[in-house]
């Protein structure tokens, strides 16, 4: 039996592929390489010694998915595939709704056709919307998203919840990620944003590498200890390990569960930047600029449900996150 990783050549998918292989699971990857490269499959092999089976296909192509399901015995899907740039989703909403919703629907329909009964979905803390209070708990209301990307996550959660109501044999785990950062300790795989990074850690890493001259800190007037935004940064390897446990959980469970994957700790923009400076011995020049539209002051998880249901807890701290982000960035030069 194999686990299908859609979007498995991407940032979180490739780290999950490594942890799945390390845990002795058979995996198959499908990715259209829209935001990743084929060489990631070689790197997964280099790290683990096992080459995952790979299909370069689009998940919106049902025929292609049917071929993958007919050639492999897939008992679980981890659905990572999707577009993820918040700002771009505001500019190109139709593309985001089309790709994210359509790929999820195709995966769900083909799973049904082939009797595959468990799915783990890459959701996001963004589904809690702008009215939620920290720490975010899974039973809080969702919605009130501030951009089309967030709405796609909200809508796919709803589709999967309805699907699990209709099919009592189906198991759905909605993993709500907080802020994944860091990279595999080998420095071989990591986050590779195209163009100017939107996210904080890749931006800091590019300043450290001399690609950008300084960090713009978006707002220092939030109601937080130092006035800068607070987030729940989580090491991508911890996140990946959470998926391995979620797959096992999904196999022995029916219905739909939402689970936060975060550390439960919030760090501010300045705290993350200073940790990066201390751990790597590199100065990061910065300037305060006005708040970025749509940003929240504080966002962190109540991580107790993941501990209770998956026996999962983040093991790596902010220093390892900064060390490994730089380790990957350095390797790219
Ligand atoms: P990523 O862009 O690195 O990986 C996504 C992968 O999906 C890419 O390799 C891309 O080529 C592929 N893809 C996109 N559309 C596809 C399609 N139609 N068919 C086949 N492949 C397709 O992103 P990531 O950071 O690894 O995120 C993985 C998932 O986690 C996404 O669904 C994302 O929305 C979600 N997520 C990410 C974060 C984050 O901060 N990185 C936070 C919360 C949720
Ligand atoms: N941020 C910043 N400068 C940047 C990128 C991000 O000050 O160049 C801040 C942003 O305002 C937020 C935090 O860093 O407070 C995390 O932002 P990111 O985009 O990484 O994640 P998200 O906003 O999706 O939680």
């Amino acid at each position: 039996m194999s686990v299908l990783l859609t979007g498995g050549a991407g940032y979180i998918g490739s780290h999950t592929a490594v942890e799945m292989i390390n845990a002795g699971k058979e995996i198959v990857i499908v990715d259209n390489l829209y935001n990743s490269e084929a060489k990631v499959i070689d790197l997964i092999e280099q790290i683990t010694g096992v080459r995952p089976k790979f299909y370069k296909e689009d998940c919106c192509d049902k025929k292609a998915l049917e071929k993958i399901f007919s050639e492999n015995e897939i008992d679980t899907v981890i659905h990572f595939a999707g577009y993820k740039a918040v700002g771009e989703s505001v500019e190109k909403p139709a593309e985001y709704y089309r790709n994210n919703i359509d790929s999820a629907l195709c995966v769900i329909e083909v799973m049904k056709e082939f009797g595959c009964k468990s799915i783990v979905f890459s959701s996001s803390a963004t589904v809690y919307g702008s009215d939620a209070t920290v720490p975010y708990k899974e039973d809080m209301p969702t919605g009130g998203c501030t951009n089309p990307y967030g709405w796609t996550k909200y809508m796919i959660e709803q589709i999967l919840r309805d699907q699990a109501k209709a099919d009592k044999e189906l198991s759905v785990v909605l993993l709500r990620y907080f802020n994944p950062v860091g990279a595999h300790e080998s420095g071989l795989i990591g986050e590779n944003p195209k163009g100017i990074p939107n996210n904080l850690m890749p931006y800091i890493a590019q300043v450290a590498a001399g690609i950008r001259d300084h960090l713009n800190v978006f707002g220092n007037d939030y109601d937080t200890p130092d006035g800068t935004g607070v987030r729940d940064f989580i090491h991508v390897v911890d996140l990946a390990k959470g998926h391995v446990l979620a797959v096992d959980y999904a196999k022995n469970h029916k219905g739909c569960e939402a689970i936060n994957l975060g550390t439960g700790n919030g760090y501010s923009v300045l705290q993350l930047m200073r940790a990066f400076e201390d751990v790597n011995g590199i100065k990061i020049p910065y300037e305060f600029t006005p708040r970025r539209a749509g940003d929240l002051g504080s966002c962190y998880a109540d991580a107790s449900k993941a501990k209770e249901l998956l026996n999962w807890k983040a093991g790596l701290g902010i220093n390892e996150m900064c060390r490994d982000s730089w380790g990957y960035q350095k390797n790219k030069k």
Side-chain angles (χ1 to χ4, degrees):
M1 285 299 191
S2 299
V3 178
L4 179 65
L5 275 58
T6 74
Y11 173 46
I12 302 169
S14 58
H15 288 83
T16 302
V18 166
E19 296 309 320
M20 292 285 288
I21 293 170
N22 287 345
K25 315 242 182 229
E26 269 194 33
I27 61 163
V28 174
I29 291 177
V30 55
D31 198 302
N32 64 1
L33 303 182
Y34 170 84
N35 197 34
S36 50
E37 292 174 304
K39 74 165 190 227
V40 169
I41 306 300
D42 302 334
L43 297 170
I44 294 170
E45 182 181 12
Q46 197 178 325
I47 294 169
T48 62
V50 176
R51 187 169 188 83
K53 197 162 175 186
F54 172 60
Y55 293 85
K56 181 182 177 301
E57 296 289 357
D58 196 307
C59 292
C60 300
D61 179 347
K62 250 180 104 173
K63 289 266 168 298
L65 286 181
E66 282 165 345
K67 181 169 182 288
I68 296 169
F69 272 77
S70 64
E71 289 179 2
N72 301 278
E73 280 192 68
I74 312 268
D75 66 352
T76 305
V77 175
I78 311 181
H79 185 50
F80 296 104
Y83 296 161
K84 65 160 182 179
V86 171
E88 190 184 56
S89 79
V90 177
E91 324 260 293
K92 301 177 178 171
E95 281 92 329
Y96 269 68
Y97 285 111
R98 166 68 74 190
N99 187 54
N100 291 6
I101 309 262
D102 216 10
S103 59
L105 286 172
C106 286
V107 166
I108 292 166
E109 286 173 358
V110 175
M111 281 176 64
K112 184 160 192 275
E113 220 179 292
F114 284 82
C116 175
K117 294 292 184 189
S118 71
I119 178 163
V120 174
F121 172 60
S122 295
S123 190
S124 164
T126 191
V127 298
Y128 291 109
S130 49
D131 294 333
T133 48
V134 287
Y136 294 172
K137 243 184 127 34
E138 291 85 348
D139 57 5
M140 283 179 168
T142 54
C145 302
T146 53
N147 55 74
Y149 164 74
W151 282 117
T152 68
K153 294 294 173 193
Y154 173 86
M155 289 174 189
I156 297 165
E157 280 202 0
Q158 187 60 41
I159 292 167
L160 285 165
R161 211 172 284 120
D162 288 340
Q163 199 66 19
K165 267 189 212 147
D167 179 355
K168 302 288 179 228
E169 293 298 302
L170 190 65
S171 173
V172 175
V173 180
L174 310 170
L175 293 180
R176 294 178 179 158
Y177 311 155
F178 281 69
N179 288 60
V181 294
H184 190 263
E185 61 176 1
S186 63
L188 290 171
I189 54 172
E191 188 171 13
N192 211 354
K194 287 184 181 151
I196 302 172
N198 290 305
N199 295 115
L200 179 61
M201 185 67 105
Y203 203 103
I204 292 177
Q206 291 199 2
V207 173
I211 300 167
R212 322 250 157 235
D213 53 59
H214 70 278
L215 171 70
N216 290 309
V217 176
F218 300 147
N220 60 347
D221 56 353
Y222 286 107
D223 184 16
T224 59
D226 63 20
T228 66
V230 165
R231 294 291 182 274
D232 188 337
F233 300 100
I234 169 168
H235 198 294
V236 67
V237 171
D238 275 333
L239 193 70
K241 289 179 176 162
H243 288 74
V244 178
L245 295 167
V247 164
D248 289 340
Y249 174 80
K251 278 188 190 149
N252 299 304
H253 159 269
K254 305 277 172 256
C256 181
E257 283 294 346
I259 304 176
N260 289 338
L261 289 184
T263 63
N265 302 312
Y267 285 94
S268 74
V269 173
L270 289 183
Q271 281 176 317
L272 185 77
M273 190 192 82
R274 296 209 167 104
F276 190 100
E277 292 183 326
D278 290 347
V279 168
N280 299 313
I282 303 170
K283 196 97 201 103
I284 305 295
Y286 71 95
E287 276 175 21
F288 290 120
T289 63
R291 292 179 179 194
R292 181 171 66 179
D295 269 359
L296 303 172
S298 239
C299 166
Y300 54 89
D302 177 322
S304 53
K305 189 171 175 187
K307 175 80 183 113
E308 192 190 316
L309 295 190
L310 306 181
N311 195 25
W312 175 91
K313 193 173 176 301
L316 299 166
I318 191 166
N319 289 345
E320 287 95 347
M321 299 179 206
C322 293
R323 178 198 66 196
D324 295 337
S325 292
W326 178 234
Y328 177 65
Q329 177 70 47
K330 256 191 317 199
N331 242 358
K332 285 199 294 186
K333 284 212 287 183

